Amino acid sequence: MRVTLFFILCLAAVCFVSAFKIATSPPTVDRATITAPGVVTTLADGPHHAIVTVAPRGGSPFTFPANTQAGLDKGQQVTVRYQPGEAVATAHVVEAGATGNATTVWSLVIVGVLLLAAAGIGPYVVRLYPDVFAFRIRP
């Protein structure tokens, strides 16, 4: 019983430490990429799936499909990051205010809280319902 509680508490600690490390790590940006202004021309399948047209400086305009976490509106100005050699294949919308790892961080925090709750409530539940959690040894 104590080993199980220790294991659950260790898993919760790992979740919290991982969430902290991910949240405080600086974002990585590929130095070979370029940013350019873009405009949302159409919405393909709702506000999270847009078609963006980019007019780079000194280059020919191109269009690419963009999937974003934040909803976009038709005619909205966005910033696009892409690699010069493969513009359409590598283009993506740089979302203002997006942390990029927010979903992962909050998922780890929630799992850690649930593990702490299980470690705190678990022994009481086992004491209340000993028949449910008893292991029967069969001959």
Side-chain angles (χ1 to χ4, degrees):
M1 179 75 161
R2 291 179 193 265
V3 173
T4 305
L5 286 176
F6 179 73
F7 182 69
I8 291 174
L9 291 174
C10 286
L11 282 177
V14 167
C15 287
F16 290 130
V17 169
S18 299
F20 178 76
K21 293 291 262 182
I22 292 170
T24 58
S25 65
T28 57
V29 176
D30 186 7
R31 301 284 182 213
T33 60
I34 298 172
T35 58
V39 178
V40 177
T41 53
T42 59
L43 298 176
D45 190 24
H48 301 283
H49 306 284
I51 305 297
V52 178
T53 301
V54 180
R57 292 183 207 119
S60 60
F62 64 92
T63 303
F64 74 97
N67 297 325
T68 61
Q69 289 182 353
L72 300 174
D73 295 323
K74 186 175 180 181
Q76 182 177 349
Q77 301 285 329
V78 293
T79 302
V80 177
R81 183 174 293 279
Y82 65 94
Q83 290 182 355
E86 303 170 335
V88 176
T90 60
H92 64 278
V93 174
V94 178
E95 298 181 44
T99 60
N101 294 323
T103 304
T104 305
V105 169
W106 281 111
S107 298
L108 286 170
V109 169
I110 289 171
V111 168
V113 168
L114 291 174
L115 286 170
L116 285 178
I121 296 171
Y124 299 109
V125 173
V126 170
R127 273 192 222 129
L128 285 175
Y129 303 102
D131 294 336
V132 175
F133 296 101
F135 293 105
R136 289 174 176 69
I137 299 174
R138 298 183 183 165

